[in-house]
Amino acid sequence: ARRASQVAQHRAVLTDGLDALGVRHLPSAAPFVLAEVGTGVHGALRSAGWAVRRADTFPGLDDRWVRVAVRAPDVARRFLAALEIALQEARP
């Protein structure tokens, strides 16, 4: 129960940050979040040293989606900063 509560708190940091960036994501109780970051962002994050998984293996999702692991708040904030840069670079 303690671990589930901690994951929920950490997930809230991640999802709040995604909301602030305007990134659509799906509600979840899992230790990951499915987020629609757009085409090319997965590769940009990988190039910046962030390991996010493709989410096109989930029914109904395509290559615009990634699976982001829920991590400690400091890691989530660093990820969100990298994501913000990747989103800006991916915009035409």
Side-chain angles (χ1 to χ4, degrees):
R2 187 176 336 143
R3 177 69 179 139
S5 175
Q6 182 182 47
V7 168
Q9 292 171 5
H10 291 184
R11 185 183 319 100
V13 172
L14 178 60
T15 57
D16 288 350
L18 292 170
D19 287 339
L21 292 174
V23 174
R24 178 179 170 210
H25 54 87
L26 302 178
S28 172
F32 62 86
V33 174
L34 297 172
E36 185 179 16
V37 295
T39 304
V41 176
H42 176 266
L45 288 169
R46 185 178 53 237
S47 294
W50 290 96
V52 293
R53 294 184 180 202
R54 295 178 11 229
D56 57 355
T57 57
F58 288 83
L61 303 184
D62 58 23
D63 65 348
R64 296 173 298 161
W65 291 80
V66 294
R67 176 182 157 182
V68 182
V70 172
R71 297 286 184 236
D74 62 318
V75 176
R77 289 183 189 102
R78 289 195 318 267
F79 167 76
L80 291 163
L83 176 59
E84 183 174 23
I85 292 167
L87 290 168
Q88 290 170 356
E89 291 175 351
R91 290 188 182 124

